[in-house]
Every structure is written in C-alpha cells, then in structure tokens.
Amino acid sequence: MRTIRRLYFYAVAFISLEVVLWGLIGLLRSIFVPAVIGGNATRLAEALALILVGMPVFGLHWWVAQRDARREMDEHASGIRAFFLYAVLLSTLIPVIQSFLAVINRLFLEANQLSRLAAVVGSQQTWSDNLIAMLMNALIAAYFVTVLRADWKQITLLETFINVRRISRYLWVLYGLLLTVAGVQQILHFILQIPPSTFGSLLRANFINGLAMTLVGTPVWVWAWKTVQDSLNVPVDRESLLRLGLLYALSLGGVITVRSAGGIVLYLVLRQVLGEQMPFQTFIQHVSAPLSIGIPLAGVWGYYGEWLTRSMGEVADAPRRS
C-alpha cells in the first residue's frame, strides 16, 4: 500500500512539474515575443491555465513527498524517489540540449543562406523560444541536482540509487550516440552524393543538419561514455548485467544494420555486373543511403563489440560467462 501511495505522489508531482514548467516557458515566450502579445491571446491563456492548475498540484504533492522523505529513511531511499529525481533531470536537460541544437542548426543554415525551415530541430522556433526553454529547464534541473546531491549524502542504503543512476547514465550514452550517428549519416549521405547535384539546397541542408547534430551529440556521448567507464572502478557497476545488455544490443544492432546495408549495396553492384544499364549518377543515389547508414553503424559495431569482448573476458564465473 505504501508503494502505491509513493508511486501516486511522485507520478503526480512529475506530471504537474512538466505542466508548470512548460506553462512558464509559454508565458515567458508570450511576454518576450511581440507578435504573441498582440496576435495570439490563446497562447497566453493556455500558459496561464497550465501554471494556475499545475502549480498548486505540484506544490502539494512535492511537499508531501519531501515531508515523508525527511521522516523515514525507507521513503528517502526508495527506488521510486530515485527514479523520479533522475527522470526529472533527463526530462529537463535533454530539452536544454535540443534547444541548443536548434539554435546551432538554424545559425549554420542562415550562415549558408539556406531557409531555417530546413532545420531538423526547431525549424518553426525563434532564438528567444530556444533561449527561454534552455533557461527554464536549466533552472529546474539545477534545483533537482541540489536535491539529488543532498539525498546521496543523507541516505545510507544506496543500492537502489546506484541502480537508477546506472540506468540514467546509459540512457545518456544512447542519446548522445543517437545524435552522433544520425549526424554522421547525414554528412556521409551528402559526401556520397557529390556528383553533380551535390550543391542543391536540400542536400546542403542535410549536410548542415548532420554537422549540427554531430557537433552537439558527440560531446554528450563522449561525456556520458567516459562517466560510465570511470564508474567501472566500482565492482557492482563493472559486473552489471545492464552494461552487458547494452553492449550486446549495440553490437547486435550494428551487425544487423551493417549486414543489411551491405546486402543492398551488393545487390545493386550485382545488377550492374550482370548487365543492367544504370547511369552512374543513379547508381550513386541508390547506394548512398545504405552506405551512409552502414558506415557509422560499422563503427558502433566495431567499437562496442571490442568492449563487449573485454567485458566478457573479465567475467570470472565461467557458467555466467557462457
């Protein structure tokens, strides 16, 4: 019964927090964007409604959750509380990165005299939209970082928090890797389309989108993966089944994608070898997509396959390793 009660309070607190956060973002956008003040009262009304409804709901449920955590160590060290805190950080910090990506993406497009509507993220947004979203999400994240740090210092039963933290770290790895692979794919697709229509606006926009995603995603992936690697000094993290599962998933995903892409390329090559008349430009257009996907995933396969081999070699228990 206590678990259900705990789940209810943290679930409602999370939902109402998001309602209040995006209501505040909408309110600030309506204040700092002149067009909204004079021409879109609906947006302002929606923002105020979200704040007025969400604020008391979040305040009540978060106050109860904090009160219970101060009273009982079981509440303080519960997995639901740990999940809530790390979920809040993910749900606020990822929008910060996405808003930053939108700013960089549009900046690169405008510098190359291309339409901002071609941006892969935030094509319909403005600088103020993104900066307000970054600021508000960062402020909420900063508050919950202080709450989380205080919890790590106060609780004595750390196992649940360690497990949830591990999940959060691997989610950051996947998020950064996804952005990086998608960016590299777009860049390679542009490079492979070099002759002769390369410099069309659509392909150039794809290259710029890919460049923006790579520049933003790579530091996120490097930081997250380094954090995971540094945690291997702790035996419970080094021997985690989650780590092995992720390494297997990334290696297997890389294998499947590379082999599928290679099969498509081989099929097209054999068609040419067996006498089908296909203009070179058409052939390049057909093979560019599978190659641009297969090459970065081959890197993922090779890199994480090597780490999987190392991790399996470090498992001392032979039956468990098998």
Side-chain angles (χ1 to χ4, degrees):
M1 197 68 181
R2 291 180 62 188
T3 300
I4 297 175
R5 178 180 182 276
R6 190 183 300 147
L7 181 62
Y8 162 75
F9 273 98
Y10 281 109
V12 174
F14 180 83
I15 295 170
S16 57
L17 173 64
E18 290 296 314
V19 169
V20 173
L21 172 59
W22 289 99
L24 288 171
I25 290 172
L27 178 62
L28 289 175
R29 285 174 174 174
S30 68
I31 292 173
F32 289 101
V33 180
V36 175
I37 295 176
N40 197 352
T42 301
R43 186 174 178 180
L44 178 59
E46 288 176 351
L48 290 172
L50 291 174
I51 296 169
L52 294 175
V53 172
M55 186 69 77
V57 175
F58 168 73
L60 173 63
H61 288 78
W62 180 237
W63 175 78
V64 171
Q66 288 290 79
R67 183 200 61 186
D68 292 345
R70 286 191 296 267
R71 286 179 177 178
E72 300 181 41
M73 184 54 66
D74 287 346
E75 291 287 340
H76 213 160
S78 71
I80 295 175
R81 179 179 176 85
F83 182 84
F84 167 81
L85 293 174
Y86 280 102
V88 168
L89 293 183
L90 282 169
S91 66
T92 51
L93 293 177
I94 287 179
V96 171
I97 296 172
Q98 290 294 110
S99 296
F100 179 70
L101 172 59
V103 171
I104 296 296
N105 202 168
R106 292 196 307 271
L107 179 64
F108 285 178
L109 286 170
E110 292 171 355
N112 285 271
Q113 299 180 342
L114 294 173
S115 173
R116 59 190 298 159
L117 297 178
V120 70
V121 178
S123 60
Q124 302 289 336
Q125 296 175 334
T126 64
W127 287 65
S128 60
D129 287 339
N130 296 134
L131 292 176
I132 289 170
M134 289 169 64
L135 175 63
M136 295 306 300
N137 278 284
L139 288 174
I140 298 297
Y143 167 71
F144 281 98
V145 165
T146 61
V147 173
L148 187 59
R149 287 178 176 173
D151 281 6
W152 274 98
K153 294 178 180 178
Q154 294 170 15
I155 60 179
T156 55
L157 302 174
L158 293 173
E159 181 180 358
T160 302
F161 268 68
I162 290 173
N163 292 334
V164 176
R165 181 181 65 182
R166 186 184 305 123
I167 295 172
S168 174
R169 286 173 173 174
Y170 282 116
L171 288 175
W172 278 111
V173 170
L174 291 175
Y175 172 65
L177 185 63
L178 177 64
L179 281 180
T180 303
V181 169
V184 172
Q185 187 273 328
Q186 291 291 304
I187 293 172
L188 288 175
H189 190 258
F190 171 82
I191 294 173
L192 292 170
Q193 293 272 357
I194 284 289
S197 63
T198 297
F199 300 100
S201 60
L202 179 59
L203 281 175
R204 284 197 294 142
N206 288 341
F207 171 78
I208 292 169
N209 290 338
L211 182 62
M213 284 191 289
T214 303
L215 291 176
V216 173
T218 302
V220 174
W221 172 70
V222 170
W223 163 79
W225 183 243
K226 183 179 184 302
T227 302
V228 167
Q229 294 298 92
D230 291 343
S231 70
L232 298 183
N233 295 326
V234 181
V236 69
D237 282 316
R238 185 172 59 252
E239 299 171 3
S240 166
L241 292 178
L242 177 62
R243 174 180 173 81
L244 286 178
L246 179 73
L247 294 175
Y248 266 115
L250 291 174
S251 300
L252 183 60
V255 169
I256 293 173
T257 306
V258 169
R259 290 182 178 271
S260 300
I264 295 172
V265 173
L266 181 59
Y267 163 71
L268 293 169
V269 171
L270 288 175
R271 285 172 57 183
Q272 290 284 83
V273 171
L274 295 175
E276 180 177 340
Q277 299 298 318
M278 184 185 299
F280 180 73
Q281 179 62 22
T282 303
F283 174 77
I284 291 296
Q285 290 177 348
H286 285 326
V287 301
S288 61
L291 280 178
S292 66
I293 296 173
I295 291 173
L297 267 296
V300 172
W301 173 21
Y303 182 75
Y304 283 104
E306 174 63 22
W307 276 109
L308 176 61
T309 302
R310 294 186 192 181
S311 297
M312 292 302 295
E314 293 171 357
V315 176
D317 188 355
R320 184 167 182 260
R321 183 167 63 247
S322 299

